[in-house]
Amino acid sequence: MRRSARPLAALLAAFALTAGLFTAGSPAAARSGEAAPAAEPSDVSTAADTYTWKNVRIDGGGFVPGIVFNRSEKDLAYARTDIGGAYRWNEAGKEWTPLLDWIDWDRWGWTGVVSLASDTVDPDKVYAAVGTYTNSWDPTNGAVLRSFDRGASWQATTLPFKLGGNMPGRGMGERLAVDPNKNSVLYLGAPSGHGLWRSTDSGVTWSKVTAFPNPGNYAQDPTDTSGYANDNQGVVWVTFDERSGSAGSATQDIYVGVADKENTVYRSTDGGATWSRLAGQPTGYLAHKGVLDSATGHLHLTLSDTGGPYDGAKGRIARYDTATGEWKDTSPTAEADTYSGFSGLSVDRQRPGTLMATAYSSWWPDTQIFRSTDSGETWTRAWDYTSYPNRSFRYTQDVSSVPWLSWGANPSPPEVTPKLGWMTEALEIDPFDSDRMMYGTGATIYGTENLRTWDSGGRITITPMVKGLEETAVNDLVSPPSGAPLLSALGDIGGFRHTDLDAVPPLMFTSPNLSSTTSLDFAEAAPATVVRVGNADAAPHIGFSTDNGATWFQASQPSGVTGGGTVAAAADGSGFVWSPDGTGVHHTTGYGSSWKASTGIPAGATVESDRENPKKFYGYKAGTFYVSQDGGATFTARASSGLPHEGNVRFKAVPGAEGDVWLAGGTASGTYGLWHSTDSGATFRRIEGVEQADAVGFGKAAPGASYQTIFVSAKIGGVRGIFRSTNGGADWTRINDDAHQWGWTGASITGDPRVYGRVYVSTNGRGIQYGESSDGGGTDPGPGPDPDPPGDAGCSVAYKITNQWSGGFQADVTLTNTGSAALDGWQLRWSFPDGQKVGQMWNAAHRQSGAEVTAENVSWNGKVAVGASVSFGFTGSWSGRNTAPAAFASGGETCTTRG
């Protein structure tokens, strides 16, 4: 089980991958006080093709540190993520709508959201404090974004300092708050010693509250020299006592939390003019949250000995009576018995005195959630030990809508799967519905809609409430010519085999379980053969699949391997080249039972395979391109003149054309662009007009074109975006728009070899975006029908066994509509002659009874035009013989068969 959605070690090791974002729902746009860099004059078309953009559905995948309900309008809620933007709840669809997909490449850091505030007086207004890192990793200062239409459009005020949505302490808060009586007044708690800030004009301008006495002093690790763990976590939350003001008049009593273990709570009783340390407060801890129950007059605090979100060994819960000044320790556990900190905190606005809290850093055996109906005097727990290791539960948990949340685990008691959560720093009871509660974890949002059952001794039902929120960081993407349309390499949750782009995959890659997959590849001529590498706490760091990623087996690895690096598969699957972290480049034949060191290429080089010649592999490092003609045993340096020596450099070979290589990358302060070689890297030609490029990939050729479609994440003609060329790079068309930019998209891009125009785009926090073209893409046409199909049949079928091994095989099937009417939903039936059994099928659903098999469309490929085709594949088992089916039927018609 991962302990972090954003592990620091992985972040430090791979920070060349900056940040990104996603799209679905209404597009959002920004109008900023700090204008975006002016675009240079350009002849590049930016609207020649209109694309439809969606997420490849995963549902969640990262840390959700904040959930905010509006207190004056039912069902209006927002969620913030640490690197993946902000979302608004859509009650009708029970899903989240992304709000920050407009954030551009130059301001990628604004995808990190450190705080959210929803205006109680005017629910149309919402604010977001954005910025990902407070150190040098983020090149831009933070900003406060303001929207007067619930996030459909935004204006921005850039701050004179940075904010840290992905910094230590990001689960504390909320740092941003709107005065519930005079909504033109906002406060913002700043990190890095910058103190408390205030706006009196609805977030347009900000000034430091000079009277506030304490900017904080706590850092996670003062000895860290990176600027990350040694940053002062600062002022961490602001809470108003709404009873001390009236409509249109500023609230007088304001409470502020500070990252200072001896002075963690301050109060103003004069609308922020003066401030003082709240007397009698608990010491030795940081107040992660401060929530005031206005009906009882109690200010509740959850405290931890660290700032989180991963750590915390001790904690307390405290209550302050605002009328009497009395403090009381209301912790549910004796201090000596506490092994985690407390953070998540919410009060029930419908039921005074009812509150809930979380033990956010209780990693084992699970997180803990506490509930009190008497202002913290007594507590009940989500689970309790009966006789160790057995536990009793006040909940049932159903993850069938996001089945990968089981992690494929089979733990022994006291652990169970799925886990209740980890990093549970956000928990909110719906202010209008005492039965609804949501809480964030390091991987998802969970919730319940029968919360009060807890109090009567029953079990609440906990399910994922995360649909629409996509928060994965994407390292690599491949789209094979058969099998699943997409395989992904993801940070923190490994990656998936995506057989249906609009459905949640059942499970991430396992055997081995890699915390982050850094690279994957398939054999171009044998797509059932797949290899992946990545980071893990222990060996192995590599896995192989012979069924297109459906199942995996672990392999051995060279000595000295510490991380995944990059990997490449020979075009026919006969061998592999691996450039792992910690040691040099190695090669193997077969499936990695033994590895030999490659010569002539430096350690740390990026490796790729030629997609036509199985003996040819390529490498690149520090401005020099390398080629191997002997399966990766030896490499020779080739081109080195004019190529980028630094930066994010990636290259790929074109399928079907030996020696055809495209290379993208560089740095803004040095060499930067896109290059093309047709002689296996002996020479490279720079592509004119492409000022910057960071990822390149290929997809099915356009109708009438002979060369594969090229996709790039690039800057062309002064415009940053996702571009497509259908004529070998001579001309480019921008296919995204300003509402769909997703911050940083430089890790990976690939087209689909089966669907013209379809493209898959990586982001660093907004998951996998896929786009469909309006000029002919979106339906898998397969290989097309025969020129003159025989007879009067309404269908023809091509059945091909693409791979076979002892006891198993893989087959591809193409169904062509040769009738006179388009299909809106299809089925295909056949009978196996030798007792074969279908194991797993992709791009179609199936059922089998004895020898009889029925395959039918999935959600996205049911419509098949006259003359068009649809393809699917499957793995199966056999014994004795593996004869192809003799006949196929669809729609009551016997189909003709094609070889």
Side-chain angles (χ1 to χ4, degrees):
M1 183 65 67
R2 296 153 21 269
R3 288 178 59 92
S4 163
R6 298 288 179 272
L8 176 59
L11 184 148
L12 292 173
F15 191 71
L17 307 178
T18 34
L21 209 40
F22 139 95
T23 180
S26 301
R31 300 180 297 278
S32 175
E34 178 186 287
E40 300 169 10
S42 171
D43 293 328
V44 176
S45 169
T46 59
D49 187 17
T50 301
Y51 261 60
T52 300
W53 292 97
K54 299 174 66 177
N55 265 102
V56 174
R57 194 171 168 196
I58 295 170
D59 284 17
F63 181 34
V64 180
I67 300 168
V68 175
F69 278 89
N70 186 279
R71 287 179 57 189
S72 63
E73 181 173 318
K74 182 176 171 57
D75 296 329
L76 179 58
Y78 297 88
R80 62 179 172 95
T81 67
D82 52 6
I83 66 170
Y87 295 79
R88 183 184 64 245
W89 179 250
N90 173 11
E91 177 66 17
K94 300 289 185 180
E95 60 187 330
W96 298 93
T97 299
L99 303 177
L100 301 183
D101 285 357
W102 54 268
I103 291 174
D104 58 27
W105 179 278
D106 292 324
R107 291 173 291 188
W108 61 261
W110 289 7
T111 62
V113 184
V114 72
S115 193
L116 280 173
S118 181
D119 190 333
T120 300
V121 178
D122 183 353
D124 285 340
K125 293 182 179 180
V126 62
Y127 300 86
V130 297
T132 301
Y133 300 102
T134 60
N135 63 358
S136 61
W137 299 343
D138 192 335
T140 56
N141 281 351
V144 175
L145 308 180
R146 59 192 185 276
S147 173
F148 300 152
D149 52 15
R150 305 178 185 225
S153 62
W154 296 86
Q155 295 175 308
T157 297
T158 303
L159 298 166
F161 49 84
K162 296 182 179 183
L163 294 176
N166 198 32
M167 295 291 289
R170 59 191 179 272
M172 296 193 283
E174 293 288 323
R175 296 174 182 257
L176 184 64
V178 184
D179 189 320
N181 289 300
K182 188 174 183 179
N183 65 334
S184 60
V185 175
L186 291 87
Y187 283 86
L188 171 67
S192 312
H194 294 294
L196 182 67
W197 288 66
R198 178 169 52 212
S199 172
T200 58
D201 55 6
S202 299
V204 177
T205 61
W206 291 84
S207 59
K208 187 174 183 179
V209 181
T210 56
F212 192 78
N214 189 350
N217 61 16
Y218 174 80
Q220 177 180 290
D221 180 5
T223 66
D224 176 35
T225 59
S226 70
Y228 184 77
N230 62 336
D231 186 52
N232 174 7
Q233 294 180 18
V235 180
V236 296
W237 53 263
V238 179
T239 295
F240 293 92
D241 187 343
E242 61 203 60
R243 302 169 302 168
S244 62
S246 59
S249 299
T251 302
Q252 296 301 293
D253 292 355
I254 311 167
Y255 297 87
V256 172
V258 178
D260 178 343
K261 290 187 177 183
E262 301 306 310
N263 310 281
T264 196
V265 185
Y266 286 79
R267 179 177 62 181
S268 174
T269 58
D270 53 12
T274 61
W275 300 84
S276 60
R277 179 186 185 274
L278 202 57
Q281 64 183 265
T283 59
Y285 294 97
L286 304 175
H288 275 225
K289 299 281 195 300
V291 177
L292 197 144
D293 188 342
S294 58
T296 64
H298 290 145
L299 174 70
H300 299 277
L301 305 181
T302 45
L303 303 112
S304 175
D305 58 350
T306 72
Y310 323 116
D311 52 3
K314 292 289 182 182
R316 311 304 296 148
I317 299 178
R319 185 183 73 201
Y320 175 71
D321 191 320
T322 59
T324 65
E326 176 190 9
W327 283 97
K328 184 170 184 178
D329 186 332
T330 55
S331 304
T333 307
E335 189 166 19
D337 296 332
T338 304
Y339 61 93
S340 63
F342 297 95
S343 183
L345 177 65
S346 183
V347 300
D348 188 337
R349 303 294 176 181
Q350 299 293 318
R351 296 175 176 271
T354 295
L355 67 153
M356 298 183 74
T358 67
Y360 77 97
S361 53
S362 174
W363 289 97
W364 190 92
D366 210 337
T367 198
Q368 184 61 276
I369 300 176
F370 302 90
R371 182 170 170 86
S372 173
T373 57
D374 54 12
S375 296
E377 293 290 335
T378 60
W379 297 86
T380 50
R381 306 165 188 257
W383 58 267
D384 288 286
Y385 283 111
T386 52
S387 57
Y388 187 86
N390 299 312
R391 293 191 281 156
S392 63
F393 302 90
R394 282 188 171 85
Y395 67 90
T396 58
Q397 198 167 1
D398 178 4
V399 298
S400 58
S401 64
V402 189
W404 63 261
L405 285 168
S406 71
W407 301 90
N410 186 27
S412 298
E415 289 190 283
V416 298
T417 187
K419 293 192 74 131
L420 189 60
W422 58 94
M423 296 165 62
T424 49
E425 296 222 62
L427 182 148
E428 293 295 327
I429 302 170
D430 187 332
F432 291 90
D433 184 354
S434 298
D435 267 327
R436 179 158 68 177
M437 176 269 289
M438 297 182 186
Y439 68 95
T441 77
T444 192
I445 295 177
Y446 281 121
T448 183
E449 293 186 328
N450 67 330
L451 181 57
R452 285 184 295 170
T453 302
W454 178 313
D455 300 329
S456 59
R459 289 189 174 191
I460 66 172
T461 300
I462 293 175
T463 59
M465 291 186 175
V466 73
K467 182 180 179 183
L469 192 154
E470 299 285 348
E471 200 197 346
T472 49
V474 185
N475 295 327
D476 202 2
L477 298 169
V478 296
S479 183
S482 62
L486 183 69
L487 306 175
S488 62
L490 306 178
D492 303 323
I493 59 173
F496 294 92
R497 181 173 187 262
H498 304 272
T499 59
D500 184 342
L501 304 178
D502 299 319
V504 178
L507 190 64
M508 66 280 289
F509 298 140
T510 59
S511 299
N513 292 74
L514 302 175
S515 59
S516 292
T517 300
T518 56
S519 176
L520 78 164
D521 196 13
F522 65 91
E524 188 68 41
T529 299
V530 188
V531 60
R532 62 184 168 92
V533 295
N535 301 327
D537 293 335
H541 293 81
I542 186 168
F544 291 94
S545 173
T546 57
D547 56 9
N548 192 241
T551 60
W552 295 83
F553 56 92
Q554 301 176 157
S556 66
Q557 64 183 39
S559 62
V561 172
T562 59
T566 57
V567 71
D572 62 356
S574 59
F576 305 86
V577 173
W578 185 14
S579 179
D581 296 339
T583 189
V585 178
H586 283 67
H587 66 100
T588 187
T589 55
Y591 296 111
S593 57
S594 64
W595 294 88
K596 294 182 180 179
S598 303
T599 61
I601 186 170
T606 300
V607 294
E608 295 281 356
S609 65
D610 190 89
R611 310 311 287 181
E612 186 71 13
N613 184 342
K615 292 295 185 181
K616 188 173 289 187
F617 288 84
Y618 305 111
Y620 188 86
K621 186 176 182 182
T624 300
F625 194 84
Y626 301 85
V627 64
S628 172
Q629 308 267 16
D630 55 9
T634 60
F635 282 82
T636 302
R638 303 293 291 269
S640 60
S641 176
L643 297 178
H645 285 250
E646 298 177 333
N648 174 53
V649 178
R650 286 171 168 76
F651 65 95
K652 287 185 179 179
V654 178
E658 182 178 351
D660 195 329
V661 179
W662 291 76
L663 183 146
T667 62
S669 59
T671 305
Y672 208 168
L674 180 67
W675 290 262
H676 184 207
S677 173
T678 56
D679 54 12
S680 301
T683 60
F684 278 89
R685 175 180 63 89
R686 181 163 185 162
I687 304 302
E688 296 298 324
V690 180
E691 297 135 70
Q692 301 175 358
D694 290 83
V696 59
F698 314 103
K700 185 175 182 178
S706 59
Y707 197 81
Q708 292 211 1
T709 301
I710 307 168
F711 296 96
V712 291
S713 172
K715 183 179 181 180
I716 300 176
V719 177
R720 253 289 173 184
I722 307 300
F723 291 85
R724 183 187 72 187
S725 175
T726 58
N727 58 3
D731 300 289
W732 298 93
T733 299
R734 187 187 182 200
I735 57 175
N736 70 321
D737 53 51
D738 288 350
H740 302 94
Q741 300 192 74
W742 318 293
W744 193 77
T745 56
S748 182
I749 191 171
T750 184
D752 192 309
R754 289 170 276 187
V755 182
Y756 165 65
R758 181 185 289 170
V759 61
Y760 305 99
V761 179
S762 70
T763 76
N764 190 51
R766 276 296 284 113
I768 308 164
Q769 302 296 319
Y770 79 97
E772 302 277 19
S773 171
S774 65
D775 65 356
T779 301
D780 187 349
D786 289 335
D788 297 298
D792 297 323
C795 54
S796 68
V797 172
Y799 178 96
K800 180 180 181 182
I801 295 175
T802 58
N803 198 8
Q804 182 170 303
W805 57 95
S806 178
F809 71 105
Q810 179 177 320
D812 283 353
V813 183
T814 298
L815 169 66
T816 301
N817 179 9
T818 60
S820 59
L823 300 178
D824 188 4
W826 53 266
Q827 287 186 340
L828 185 66
R829 300 180 180 87
W830 69 88
S831 179
F832 277 125
D834 300 320
Q836 300 98 320
K837 298 290 185 182
V838 174
Q840 184 166 15
M841 186 173 288
W842 50 90
N843 298 340
H846 80 283
R847 56 186 180 273
Q848 183 171 358
S849 177
E852 302 297 321
V853 179
T854 300
E856 58 188 12
N857 65 278
V858 289
S859 61
W860 54 269
N861 65 358
K863 296 182 184 299
V864 186
V866 174
S869 305
V870 62
S871 296
F872 60 93
F874 64 90
T875 56
S877 60
W878 64 282
S879 61
R881 302 178 61 186
N882 188 19
T883 309
F888 296 83
S890 180
E893 297 280 347
T894 299
C895 303
T896 59
T897 57
R898 298 182 285 127

